[in-house]
C-alpha cells in the first residue's frame, strides 16, 4: 500500500511539473501571425497619425490581428490579465497614435529586460494602424 502511495505521488508530481512547464512557456516563444491588410489603402509614406481611425474594415482587421498577436500578453478584448498594460485605457489622441506606433515598432526594454519585442520587421504600418483602430474602438475612459 505504501508503495502504491509513493508511485501515485511521483506520478502526480511529474504530471504537475509537465503542466507547469507548459504554462510557463505559454507566453514565451510564439511566432507572430501575418496580418492581411490588402483591403486597406496602402500608405505611401510613414505617418504618425492613425489614417484608419473609425474605418470599419481597419477595425475588423485590427481585431483579428490583435487577438492573434497581442492578446497573449495584453489580454482578450485588450483587458489586461496583469502581464501587460490594459490597452483599452490608452488615450485616443494623435500624440498617443505616435507613441503607440513607436512602441509596437520598437518594443519595450527596461533595465535590459525585454517586456515587449519589437514588431517593426513583422508588421507593415497598415497593420499597426489597424490594431490601433481596433483599440480606439473599444476604448474605456477611466
Amino acid at each position: 500500500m505504501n508503495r502504491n502511495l509513493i508511485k501515485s505521488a511521483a506520478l502526480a508530481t511529474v504530471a504537475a511539473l509537465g503542466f507547469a512547464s507548459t504554462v510557463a512557456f505559454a507566453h514565451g516563444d510564439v511566432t507572430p501571425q501575418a496580418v492581411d491588410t490588402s483591403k486597406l489603402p496602402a500608405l505611401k509614406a510613414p505617418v504618425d497619425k492613425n489614417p484608419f481611425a473609425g474605418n470599419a474594415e481597419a477595425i475588423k482587421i485590427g481585431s483579428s490581428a490583435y487577438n492573434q498577436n497581442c492578446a497573449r500578453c495584453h489580454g482578450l478584448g485588450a483587458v489586461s490579465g496583469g502581464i501587460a498594460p490594459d490597452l483599452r485605457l490608452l488615450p485616443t489622441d494623435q500624440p498617443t497614435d505616435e507613441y503607440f506606433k513607436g512602441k509596437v515598432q520598437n518594443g519595450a526594454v527596461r533595465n535590459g529586460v525585454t517586456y515587449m519585442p519589437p514588431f517593426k520587421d513583422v508588421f507593415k504600418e497598415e497593420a499597426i494602424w489597424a490594431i490601433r483602430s481596433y483599440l480606439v474602438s473599444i476604448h474605456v475612459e477611466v
Side-chain angles (χ1 to χ4, degrees):
M1 178 139 160
N2 228 359
R3 180 171 246 156
N4 285 340
L5 184 59
I6 292 172
K7 282 182 184 178
S8 295
L11 184 59
T13 302
V14 169
L17 288 173
F19 176 76
S21 68
T22 302
V23 172
F25 291 107
H27 295 287
D29 287 336
V30 179
T31 303
Q33 299 300 303
V35 179
D36 180 5
T37 59
S38 62
K39 293 183 180 177
L40 297 174
L43 299 177
K44 297 186 186 327
V47 295
D48 290 327
K49 182 174 194 257
N50 186 355
F52 305 133
N55 178 313
E57 190 63 36
I59 293 168
K60 180 179 170 186
I61 291 167
S63 173
S64 175
Y66 175 88
N67 285 317
Q68 292 178 39
N69 293 289
C70 312
R72 69 184 55 88
C73 294
H74 290 281
L76 292 173
V79 178
S80 177
I83 294 174
D86 188 320
L87 298 178
R88 298 170 308 147
L89 305 177
L90 284 175
T92 60
D93 58 0
Q94 188 278 326
T96 306
D97 282 354
E98 188 174 355
Y99 168 83
F100 180 82
K101 175 186 162 188
K103 192 59 74 176
V104 172
Q105 288 179 330
N106 301 314
V109 177
R110 287 188 298 275
N111 300 321
V113 177
T114 300
Y115 287 86
M116 179 175 155
F119 287 95
K120 67 178 168 254
D121 296 329
V122 177
F123 295 149
K124 296 186 327 186
E125 193 167 327
E126 290 86 349
I128 294 170
W129 291 126
I131 294 168
R132 174 72 171 145
S133 296
Y134 164 66
L135 292 170
V136 168
S137 78
I138 59 169
H139 174 75
V140 174
E141 286 292 330
V142 194

